[in-house]
Amino acid sequence: MTVTALRQVTPGPPGLTPHASPLPPTPAVERQAEVDTPADSAADAGVVEPRPGSRADRMRRPPAQLVLRLLAEHAGVCVRPVLVRRTDRDTGRTEVVEIPCGARLAAKCKPCAERNRRLRIQQIREGWHLDTEPTPPVDRPADEVLDLVRARADLEFDRRRAEMLADFDQVEILDRQIADLDAELADAPLRGNLTPTDRTPKEPRTRSTRRRQDTPDLPRPAMSAHTVGRAYTDADGETRRPSTLLTVTLPGYGAVHTSFRRGSYLVPCECGTRHGERDPLLGTPLDPASYDYRRAALDAIHFAALLDRWWQNLRRAVGWNVQYAGAVELQRRLAPHAHFAVRGTLPRKLWRLVAAATYHQVWWPHFDKPVYTVDRAPEYDKARKSYVDPKTRNPLPDWETALDTIDANPDAEPAYVIRMGRIDPRGINHGDKDTERSIRYVTKYVTKDVTETARADSDPQQAHFDRMHAELSTLPCSPTCANWLLYGVQPKNAKPGLVPGRCKGKVHQPATLGFTGRRVLVSRNWSARTLADIRTDNAAWVRAVLTNYPDAEDQADHHDQADAPNPGEPGNDTPTGDRYYYELARPDDPDVPSYQHRILAAIAARDRWRQHLNRARAQLSATPLPEAAKPSRTGGP
């Protein structure tokens, strides 16, 4: 083949061809399928096929490891399993068990991340349109617990009397008895702690709760503990209990290139151009010189605290315990925003009033302008055990001293104030076509990292990303951040080796770009079940189905697996007093097969298990489970 012919060769996709595997075609495969159609054949397009056995022909072949990973992801097999060696104490038999890694990001393990996303979908679906309170009634404490608390009260009384009499030997004896009794109370069926862990806790700093004069006041109705939204009756007598799909965004920091459709009409941007979905200017500022990167970075850092304040204000304004479940994403302009499924509905005027009245004040030492640079930062003096000025050698004020200065000033202002931007509440009726679509809209990015949703695909977008990251690299992210040295203040709990501009906090990492809070936010009383409860109930449902409708050929293997305990279940991870003992295994242990062999076996086992379950579910639809075999909370995967 000539050099000209080699240059004309179009390399194939790195994935599988449509006929090579039962995997669904990827976008790259679909594009290759379009190339292979008769209308766009190699002869018509002028493409010369590579010579069999040539380097170009070898490079077109999909890598074996990629095929194995794609097949494992398609089968739902964890690609990063944790190896655990399980030893039977009765028989002495030892085997290696693979436990799914449980990763939350698809970049680490796509099957585990997708499994967690489905659990989130099920959790949101269960709690969105409840018509009864999800919290069960509190049980009456057992007599044994009451006796322990009564004994604890007697010890507390004796200790206080010994302190009054200055009998400190008796106080020491009583402290040991109190510690033993507290350990028994910790194992008792109680929620929370009976007494504080520290007898003399440090008095926290308090701030005035007076609201700012530049924000509207919130209504303060009487509070109620209910969490279920209001029900409405239509003219035809049908009762509805709608809920809300809420989007929360931050304010603007300057005009950016946008793409918006009103039906089939593409609305022009402020620059006068209609941008498509893949336009390289989307999300970038119209004028980067006037774009407020500092405020955008600070808002990203404190966005999680602002969301907490938002839900506090909303509950105080409406007078009942509003419940929510949602996730935080990143907009194209690199500002975080959040989508929430909110139980119940509220008037739009009240939504806007709470948004206008919500803010979060950051009571830190002021950091408006750096005092030092990264190249000429304060140095650590071992003799003084403090950071000092590189020229004058005077020590910098420590963190507590800086806060005391703020407390001593009655006219002190917070270092920064973050406010809400635009909100978009939308009513959703239970059972409508938009219900399931809204749930998947809320959870569509929970398997991706924050910056994956706004990845830079062009030079302007990369420049915008780099400018935002550069601003975050020198801003303080917490009281212990090393960047406080740039502003003339020693961080909290300062220690040698702090280098400003190189703080290891997640705020300064490109993967988070300022946001460090929890990606998925679910209120405490959203539903009666947590993710662990849903996972356990789903496993119980599968176990009940497979036990009552086993295949003849797989019945023995199924019962052997059902009798073996799961290392992830409560009560099976303690090595003492149980039949099985667990310990971590290493991939290079003699009894551990290679990674490729383990993944191949897991793929085949998963396929057979799925076929077995499908046949059992088909029988279940014809013959329901007996009442004795049903778990407490059914609901298949």
Side-chain angles (χ1 to χ4, degrees):
M1 183 178 295
T2 63
V3 176
T4 305
L6 286 175
R7 290 176 179 173
Q8 294 176 350
V9 172
T10 302
L16 299 173
T17 59
H19 306 288
S21 170
L23 294 175
T26 60
V29 174
E30 293 176 355
R31 291 194 296 269
Q32 180 65 20
E34 295 176 359
V35 173
D36 294 337
T37 55
D40 296 328
S41 61
D44 296 338
V47 177
V48 179
E49 291 294 329
R51 175 181 58 84
S54 63
R55 184 178 186 277
D57 180 63
R58 293 194 302 270
M59 294 303 295
R60 293 184 59 179
R61 301 175 184 177
Q65 299 299 325
L66 175 63
V67 175
L68 182 62
R69 186 181 182 94
L70 289 177
L71 192 60
E73 292 177 352
H74 179 64
V77 173
C78 175
V79 297
R80 297 175 50 197
V82 179
L83 300 176
V84 177
R85 181 176 289 103
R86 181 175 64 186
T87 304
D88 192 336
R89 297 177 183 274
D90 297 339
T91 63
R93 178 185 176 185
T94 300
E95 59 180 342
V96 177
V97 182
E98 296 184 0
I99 308 299
C101 66
R104 298 294 188 264
L105 297 179
K108 297 181 178 179
C109 182
K110 186 176 180 180
C112 290
E114 182 62 24
R115 193 175 297 115
N116 179 72
R117 189 181 74 90
R118 290 197 298 267
L119 290 176
R120 288 294 183 186
I121 290 175
Q122 186 175 353
Q123 184 185 37
I124 295 177
R125 186 187 298 120
E126 288 182 359
W128 200 1
H129 295 88
L130 289 180
D131 54 0
T132 58
E133 295 296 334
T135 54
V138 179
D139 297 335
R140 183 185 180 280
D143 294 338
E144 294 79 3
V145 175
L146 292 176
D147 293 340
L148 289 175
V149 176
R150 188 176 293 106
R152 179 66 175 82
D154 292 337
L155 291 176
E156 188 68 25
F157 178 82
D158 295 340
R159 187 186 187 283
R160 179 167 298 184
R161 185 173 58 180
E163 279 186 334
M164 295 176 59
L165 298 176
D167 189 357
F168 297 108
D169 294 336
Q170 183 66 18
V171 169
E172 185 177 355
I173 296 174
L174 291 173
D175 283 340
R176 289 195 295 267
Q177 297 177 0
I178 288 175
D180 296 339
L181 194 56
D182 285 344
E184 295 185 34
L185 286 171
D187 297 334
L190 289 176
R191 184 176 58 190
N193 297 323
L194 183 66
T195 57
T197 55
D198 191 357
R199 186 172 290 273
T200 57
K202 184 178 179 181
E203 186 174 342
R205 295 180 181 272
T206 58
R207 301 289 180 188
S208 173
T209 57
R210 182 173 59 90
R211 293 187 57 79
R212 296 180 63 90
Q213 299 300 316
D214 54 357
T215 56
D217 293 331
L218 288 170
R220 298 298 295 268
M223 291 297 298
S224 175
H226 75 275
T227 65
V228 177
R230 177 184 173 185
Y232 300 88
T233 304
D234 296 338
D236 56 357
E238 183 181 357
T239 301
R240 298 182 296 106
R241 197 181 298 272
S243 292
T244 306
L245 175 64
L246 178 68
T247 301
V248 179
T249 60
L250 288 169
Y253 314 105
V256 296
H257 295 278
T258 58
S259 176
F260 175 71
R261 286 187 178 273
R262 188 177 290 113
S264 60
Y265 176 70
L266 185 60
V267 180
C269 177
E270 290 188 24
C271 65
T273 306
R274 291 183 174 90
H275 300 291
E277 294 183 358
R278 298 181 179 274
D279 194 291
L281 293 178
L282 281 181
T284 61
L286 271 67
D287 183 14
S290 62
Y291 193 81
D292 196 347
Y293 281 99
R294 186 178 189 275
R295 193 160 65 94
L298 288 174
D299 282 2
I301 294 174
H302 302 286
F303 182 63
L306 180 67
L307 287 179
D308 292 340
R309 184 66 62 184
W310 157 261
W311 293 115
Q312 292 176 10
N313 290 345
L314 185 65
R315 288 168 175 169
R316 292 171 181 172
V318 302
W320 52 282
N321 192 5
V322 181
Q323 298 299 301
Y324 59 89
V328 178
E329 304 170 5
L330 201 65
Q331 294 178 297
R332 287 182 181 268
R333 59 174 180 148
L334 305 183
H337 72 146
H339 302 291
F340 290 101
V342 184
R343 189 185 304 157
T345 56
L346 300 172
R348 286 186 174 271
K349 183 178 180 181
L350 185 57
W351 284 111
R352 297 190 181 98
L353 174 62
V354 177
T358 298
Y359 61 89
H360 173 67
Q361 300 183 123
V362 181
W363 287 100
W364 287 350
H366 284 261
F367 50 94
D368 299 329
K369 186 177 180 181
V371 180
Y372 304 95
T373 62
V374 176
D375 298 333
R376 295 290 296 172
E379 303 172 356
Y380 188 79
D381 190 340
K382 295 183 179 180
R384 298 182 179 183
K385 296 183 179 180
S386 172
Y387 283 89
V388 298
D389 186 283
K391 292 183 178 180
T392 64
R393 311 304 297 178
N394 294 329
L396 303 182
D398 58 20
W399 182 258
E400 296 298 331
T401 302
L403 293 185
D404 291 340
T405 304
I406 299 176
D407 295 340
N409 184 8
D411 299 328
E413 292 291 332
Y416 187 72
V417 179
I418 177 176
R419 300 180 183 275
M420 295 286 292
R422 186 176 62 88
I423 63 168
D424 183 18
R426 178 185 174 190
I428 302 293
N429 289 320
H430 179 54
D432 287 356
K433 61 180 181 180
D434 292 337
T435 303
E436 192 67 21
R437 183 166 52 185
S438 300
I439 294 175
R440 297 186 180 276
Y441 178 71
V442 171
T443 60
K444 65 179 178 178
Y445 289 137
V446 297
T447 62
K448 297 181 180 296
D449 212 337
V450 177
T451 54
E452 289 187 47
T453 61
R455 183 174 297 172
D457 297 326
S458 64
D459 291 341
Q461 292 175 351
Q462 186 63 45
H464 180 50
F465 186 95
D466 295 340
R467 181 66 182 85
M468 185 74 173
H469 182 254
E471 191 69 33
L472 287 166
S473 62
T474 56
L475 288 174
C477 63
S478 65
T480 59
C481 181
N483 289 342
W484 280 113
L485 296 176
L486 299 177
Y487 302 93
V489 178
Q490 295 192 67
K492 186 177 181 180
N493 302 326
K495 58 184 179 180
L498 297 180
V499 179
R502 296 184 182 179
C503 178
K504 297 182 180 180
K506 292 184 178 180
V507 164
H508 314 288
Q509 298 178 5
T512 58
L513 206 63
F515 181 78
T516 59
R518 291 173 291 130
R519 287 287 309 280
V520 181
L521 305 171
V522 181
S523 55
R524 187 180 300 274
N525 296 326
W526 175 255
S527 66
R529 300 195 297 172
T530 62
L531 289 185
D533 298 332
I534 296 175
R535 189 182 297 109
T536 302
D537 292 343
N538 289 348
W541 181 87
V542 172
R543 192 177 296 110
V545 171
L546 296 180
T547 302
N548 286 270
Y549 307 103
D551 288 345
E553 56 184 7
D554 298 334
Q555 187 172 2
D557 295 339
H558 164 67
H559 285 296
D560 290 342
Q561 296 177 4
D563 293 339
N566 185 359
E569 293 182 357
N572 294 325
D573 53 355
T574 54
T576 58
D578 293 340
R579 176 180 175 183
Y580 294 95
Y581 173 76
Y582 298 96
E583 60 181 348
L584 290 177
R586 297 176 58 88
D588 54 353
D589 288 347
D591 58 341
V592 177
S594 65
Y595 173 80
Q596 292 81 359
H597 291 147
R598 289 187 282 111
I599 294 298
L600 287 172
I603 292 173
R606 185 73 177 180
D607 289 341
R608 295 184 182 184
W609 174 84
R610 184 177 287 108
Q611 296 173 7
H612 184 189
L613 180 62
N614 290 338
R615 289 192 293 266
R617 295 181 70 173
Q619 298 181 41
L620 175 63
S621 60
T623 306
L625 282 173
E627 292 296 331
K630 292 182 179 180
S632 59
R633 295 291 297 270
T634 60

